[in-house]
Amino acid sequence: EKLDRVKSDSKELVSSLLSNQNNRAALITFDTNSQIVSGLTNDEELLNSEIDNLQVTGATNYYQALVNVLLQTVYLHCWNQS
């Protein structure tokens, strides 16, 4: 199934990104709505657990997903400035 492949690939990406302790990743889902499932973190176990819980629902709202990515990026930038 496509979702299983997406989950597997996502976990590989998280593992690769978080192999550097300075990196963080976030999980943002999008269907009819977009949701920040996990904010920026370096907790690989948490992200993998959230990835395992993903389900296919609704339509595809790319716009709201990109807004949430932007919000996380701005948050990271502001956090690093303080």
Side-chain angles (χ1 to χ4, degrees), residues 27-31 33-38 64-65 68:
L27 181 60
I28 300 171
T29 61
F30 57 99
D31 52 24
N33 299 302
S34 177
Q35 177 182 353
I36 300 170
V37 176
S38 176
Q64 189 59 51
N68 282 335

Side-chain angles (χ1 to χ4, degrees), residues 16 20 27 31 33 41-42 45 50 58-59 64 67 78 80-81:
S16 177
N20 179 333
L27 181 60
D31 52 24
N33 299 302
T41 182
N42 60 0
E45 187 177 314
E50 295 295 354
Q64 189 59 51
V67 167
C78 292
N80 283 334
Q81 297 298 317

Side-chain angles (χ1 to χ4, degrees), residues 17-24 42:
L17 284 171
L18 298 184
S19 65
N20 179 333
Q21 293 180 347
N22 294 320
N23 290 341
R24 290 183 291 263
N42 60 0

